[in-house]
Amino acid sequence: MTTYQERVLARFATEAVLVTAVLRLPLVALIALLGTVVDVDHWEPGVFRGILVAYGIAATVWLVWTARKPVGRWAGWASTTVDLVAVIALCAASGGATSYLLPVFFLLPVAVAFQYRPALTATLGAASAIAYFSVYLFYAVRDDEVDLPNVVYLYLGFLLWLTVATTGLSFVLVRRAQTVVGLLDVRRRLVIEALAAEENERARLAEDLHDGPLQNVLAARFDVEEARERSDDPALAAAESALRETAVQLRSSVTSLHPQVLAQLGLSSAVAELAEKMAARSGYTLHVGIADVSRTHEQILYKVARELLVNIDKHAGAKNVTVSLRQSDSGVELSVEDDGIGFDTDVLAARVGEGHIGLASHYLRIESLGGTFDLTSDPGSGTSARIRVPLD
């Protein structure tokens, strides 16, 4: 499996861990209500409350932690192990075989089935079944008034069936996720190949324009200048002016097709030059924080920067624009922010339907490389775009 596929699957698993963390708090609240809604004869009420409070605090801390930063593959195992220990302890402290908490064992395998961890689901399901039977057996041996009825074996059978069913469901989810990731990887490769072909074609076209039409225009201008030295015909002056303007336009087209500063000096210098040029054109105050970065996906990042700055020039009416470019161990990040009029990001889908695919196409390219494109804006509060691409 490629690094890209592993990264996407890890993101799926991280989202599943976060969803489970969100669902855990209502479960703790429902357990706390058992003592008030149903008359439960607690074996150790103080111990029960202490375990429940500790479990609730741990669940809250875990939710905050997973919401703030990505977690590794260990998260599913660690969190569900704590769940199992907490439920067993609560069940034992609240009356064991006579406890209303026994059905909670049925919930644990279901909760982890969506974490893309078949082995974890199977392990937790089997542990839940064994723990359920062990708690009941402990009280049956300890207390002569508690028997081991046949329904216990029936519930044990239900738990084992649930373990097999949820493990199969988790396995299917993993297979489907791998299929989706494989398709995403194919799309990513196709986009990269298409971009490479596009860049080669743009470079070839820029070279042809430079060596062909531009040189012909410059030669014609030189001939017209020589003719003007021998004649004061106003038509020659107009022709020279038109040829001069055409040469400027051709040079601009060549630069746009294949920026020489990008090819020769790299992304940092090219973005800095582009930002200064757009600031001079639009009249806003430019704030830059551009560091030297690797040449990873420089063509795409340069196009994104140009698209964002052109949009600011056309639509934002901004007074201040901040452009930053930096590199970390995980990737290269480009940020473009303005204090302009902003817009409703919900209209982007409608704009794509109307044929305006500028930002949408760049979003697809960044995503296909395994990167992220975060665009936030609201009417009247400016726009912020953060793009990150991995180093690989």
Side-chain angles (χ1 to χ4, degrees), residues 107-155:
L107 303 178
L108 288 175
V110 177
V112 299
F114 299 98
Q115 292 189 13
Y116 302 92
R117 302 282 198 277
L120 174 61
T121 304
T123 301
L124 183 62
S128 298
I130 294 172
Y132 161 75
F133 188 76
S134 300
V135 169
Y136 217 121
L137 185 62
F138 171 78
Y139 275 91
V141 173
R142 176 181 176 273
D143 194 340
D144 294 337
E145 297 181 358
V146 178
D147 296 325
L148 195 63
N150 291 332
V151 71
V152 174
Y153 299 101
L154 182 61
Y155 285 162

Side-chain angles (χ1 to χ4, degrees), residues 242-257:
L243 289 171
R244 183 185 298 110
E245 181 65 24
T246 302
V248 170
Q249 293 174 352
L250 283 173
R251 285 196 178 97
S252 177
S253 297
V254 169
T255 301
S256 178
L257 286 170

Side-chain angles (χ1 to χ4, degrees), residues 14-312:
T14 298
E15 293 173 351
V17 170
L18 178 59
V19 171
T20 306
V22 172
L23 295 175
R24 187 176 289 110
L25 286 178
L27 178 62
V28 174
L30 290 172
I31 294 175
L33 290 175
L34 283 175
T36 59
V37 176
V38 181
D39 185 15
V40 178
D41 185 15
H42 294 299
W43 176 46
E44 289 289 348
V47 176
F48 177 85
R49 295 190 185 96
I51 295 173
L52 188 59
V53 170
Y55 187 32
I57 294 174
T60 303
V61 172
W62 181 248
L63 174 59
V64 174
W65 177 272
T66 54
R68 293 182 60 182
K69 61 182 302 184
V71 292
R73 296 184 64 86
W74 56 269
W77 289 93
S79 61
T80 49
T81 299
V82 173
D83 288 336
L84 183 60
V85 171
V87 170
I88 293 174
L90 288 168
C91 182
S94 63
T98 62
S99 172
Y100 285 97
L101 283 175
L102 289 181
V104 175
F105 281 115
F106 290 86
L107 303 178
L108 288 175
V110 177
V112 299
F114 299 98
Q115 292 189 13
Y116 302 92
R117 302 282 198 277
L120 174 61
T121 304
T123 301
L124 183 62
S128 298
I130 294 172
Y132 161 75
F133 188 76
S134 300
V135 169
Y136 217 121
L137 185 62
F138 171 78
Y139 275 91
V141 173
R142 176 181 176 273
D143 194 340
D144 294 337
E145 297 181 358
V146 178
D147 296 325
L148 195 63
N150 291 332
V151 71
V152 174
Y153 299 101
L154 182 61
Y155 285 162
L156 179 61
F158 282 142
L159 279 173
L160 293 176
W161 178 89
L162 183 65
T163 298
V164 175
T166 52
T167 301
L169 173 62
S170 184
F171 180 76
V172 170
L173 289 175
V174 170
R175 289 291 299 272
R176 290 187 177 182
Q178 290 175 343
T179 301
V180 171
V181 170
L183 293 174
L184 290 174
D185 193 34
V186 171
R187 187 187 72 168
R188 179 180 68 93
R189 294 177 183 275
L190 290 175
V191 170
I192 291 175
E193 292 176 4
L195 289 174
E198 178 186 346
E199 291 307 321
N200 291 335
E201 184 64 21
R202 291 169 70 94
R204 185 193 64 79
L205 181 58
E207 183 178 356
D208 290 345
L209 285 175
H210 180 272
D211 295 341
L214 179 59
Q215 300 305 318
N216 292 336
V217 169
L218 292 176
R221 177 185 168 191
F222 180 75
D223 292 339
V224 171
E225 288 177 347
E226 286 188 341
R228 284 196 63 193
E229 293 177 356
R230 299 187 298 269
S231 173
D232 294 332
D233 188 348
L236 292 175
E240 181 188 5
S241 177
L243 289 171
R244 183 185 298 110
E245 181 65 24
T246 302
V248 170
Q249 293 174 352
L250 283 173
R251 285 196 178 97
S252 177
S253 297
V254 169
T255 301
S256 178
L257 286 170
H258 191 63
Q260 292 300 314
V261 66
L262 178 63
Q264 297 174 4
L265 300 180
L267 180 63
S268 300
S269 299
V271 171
E273 180 188 65
L274 174 66
E276 291 172 359
K277 183 183 298 184
M278 296 302 298
R281 173 179 173 177
S282 301
Y284 51 71
T285 301
L286 178 65
H287 309 274
V288 294
I290 297 179
D292 290 332
V293 299
S294 69
R295 308 197 72 159
T296 300
H297 308 309
E298 59 180 3
Q299 295 284 353
I300 295 178
L301 288 174
Y302 181 81
K303 289 181 179 180
V304 173
R306 182 171 59 192
E307 177 74 19
L308 292 171
L309 290 172
V310 167
N311 285 343
I312 292 174

